[in-house]
Structure formats: structure tokens, C-alpha cells
Amino acid sequence: DVKVTQSSRYLVKRTGEKVFLECVQDMDHENMFWYRQDPGLGLRLIYFSYDVKMKEKGDIPEGYSVSREKKERFSLILESASTNQTSMYLCATRDQETQYFGPGTRLLVL
Amino acid sequence: QKEVEQNSGPLSVPEGAIASLNCTYSDRGSQSFFWYRQYSGKSPELIMFIYSNGDKEDGRFTAQLNKASQYVSLLIRDSQPSDSATYLCAVKDKAAGNKLTFGGGTRVLVKP
């Protein structure tokens, strides 16, 4: 069974704080993704990575950065959190045509 | 801007009936089409994908693709209360590499 874990299920941060969201997978998949999900907007791709130390911008990268130092770990960084970054954040890996999602982190920025 | 459109619902379906979900997409270069199911409070999981025009069946689910009209649909036969969830349509084109573009999802309620 593919397992994708995320460091926190719920997180509350203040405006301006630096926020780290971590994602770990145990299936040796090369491709990893960060999405945010907002009501009515579906999932929107923030960043993805197809290999260690490689990253590509998704559709909404502004205000975010990522890090992939090891194959199994993909981190999303909010350099200075803002209230419009309040959302559900989902990490995913990909094996052929299937994306496997983590349980999500619900982030509230006050 | 590539777009994937779905009716947000809710689509209310009696138990045992067929649920029909539609999805339209704007990019004619789209080549692969996916349906994900997402239960409330859970993360999405892949139901099925389709590449070619026509129908593809997997158990009680049938995906239908019409590239000329740029729509893909999902039929759920013999709907069960456990099918109550949000169904997300996603498309991928080769030019976009690994990226999927998701629709907003259709919420389905199956009533006993």
C-alpha cells in the first residue's frame, strides 16, 4: 500500500510567520506534488518535483517555495503566511497514471 | 488558462438509480482524463482514467469520453449510499508534462 503522510492535520499560524508543511512517501516515487484545495475551486497545483533537488512551478506558486533534498520528502514553505493562504493543503505522489494523496493539512492563518 | 468545468451539485440520486456526472474541458490538447472520488474530510482517490473516445467500464463505473465535444462523463450504476461523495474530474495533456488540471468537483448524494 502506498503511504503518503503529512506532518500535521491542522495548523494555526499568524500572519507573517514562516510555515513549513512536510510530506513523506514510502514508495520511492519520483514525482511529488503540492496542491491547495478551496471550496468550489477544486485542487490547484502549487509546485511539483520530478526528482531530488528538482522543482517546477505549478499554476499558483506565488507566496510559496518548496524543497526536495531527499526522494521521499517534499516540503512546502510559506515564507510569510498571509490570510489568503488559509486552505487545505494536499501532497501527492504519482506512479504511472495514479496520483496518491496524503491526508491533507488544514491551515488557518490569522 | 486551461479550464475544467463541473456542476457543483449536489446531485441527488435515489439508491439503485444511475448517477450521471459531466465534465467539460477547454484545452483540445488534453489527452488523459481522470475521475477521482473524495469523501468528506478525506483526500481524493482515483476511480478510473480514460484516454480514448468511447466508453470504459470498471465495475459499476463507466467513463465516457467525447474529444470532439470536449466532455467526459462518469456514470455510476446501481448507486449506493456509500457513493455519496464529491467527484473530481481531472485532465492532463502531454505538453503539460506531469500536471493535472482539476475541476471544482460535483457533490453526489445517494438517498436510501
Side-chain angles (χ1 to χ4, degrees):
Chain A
D1 256 5
V2 175
K3 193 157 188 183
V4 182
T5 57
Q6 295 183 228
S7 48
S8 306
R9 291 302 305 271
Y10 301 95
L11 214 49
V12 180
K13 296 291 181 181
R14 298 227 171 258
T15 302
E17 279 192 77
K18 190 168 187 174
V19 182
F20 292 87
L21 303 181
E22 293 216 311
C23 176
V24 178
Q25 53 115 347
D26 68 353
M27 284 302 291
D28 205 36
H29 292 166
E30 293 177 342
N31 296 291
M32 297 187 74
F33 306 81
W34 274 107
Y35 294 90
R36 63 177 283 177
Q37 186 173 30
D38 301 287
L41 296 178
L43 279 82
R44 292 180 291 167
L45 182 64
I46 305 171
Y47 267 97
F48 66 100
S49 168
Y50 51 87
D51 203 349
V52 176
K53 295 194 186 294
M54 306 300 285
K55 60 185 179 185
E56 292 280 347
K57 292 180 180 178
D59 299 317
I60 51 164
E62 297 79 18
Y64 304 94
S65 62
V66 291
S67 171
R68 192 158 180 209
E69 296 297 318
K70 293 185 178 181
K71 192 173 186 179
E72 67 270 19
R73 191 179 297 267
F74 191 34
S75 302
L76 180 69
I77 303 153
L78 287 65
E79 295 290 341
S80 177
S82 63
T83 54
N84 63 13
Q85 292 179 309
T86 290
S87 187
M88 170 67 85
Y89 289 88
L90 288 161
C91 173
T93 70
R94 189 177 77 108
D95 177 34
Q96 296 182 31
E97 291 294 4
T98 304
Q99 287 204 3
Y100 299 92
F101 288 86
T105 296
R106 189 167 291 281
L107 173 66
L108 173 62
V109 183
L110 300 174
Chain B
Q1 179 84 11
K2 297 171 187 174
E3 292 183 351
V4 178
E5 300 286 341
Q6 296 180 255
N7 188 319
S8 61
L11 175 66
S12 188
V13 179
E15 184 174 357
I18 296 175
S20 178
L21 291 75
N22 293 318
C23 171
T24 59
Y25 58 95
S26 63
D27 184 11
R28 285 197 171 272
S30 299
Q31 296 189 321
S32 309
F33 306 86
F34 304 81
W35 284 100
Y36 282 79
R37 176 177 61 200
Q38 186 175 24
Y39 291 114
S40 181
K42 302 291 185 181
S43 49
E45 54 183 352
L46 182 67
I47 299 173
M48 62 191 305
F49 56 86
I50 186 168
Y51 300 130
S52 306
N53 276 329
D55 296 0
K56 180 181 178 183
E57 191 174 310
D58 185 356
R60 294 186 296 111
F61 298 98
T62 299
Q64 299 175 317
L65 175 61
N66 184 322
K67 287 187 178 181
S69 300
Q70 294 177 244
Y71 80 79
V72 56
S73 60
L74 180 71
L75 301 178
I76 308 173
R77 288 184 302 283
D78 188 24
S79 296
Q80 301 297 308
S82 59
D83 294 325
S84 297
T86 296
Y87 290 80
L88 302 169
C89 172
V91 304
K92 184 172 77 167
D93 69 79
K94 260 191 179 174
N98 291 318
K99 291 169 33 173
L100 288 181
T101 302
F102 283 84
T106 297
R107 188 167 157 236
V108 173
L109 291 173
V110 181
K111 297 189 174 179

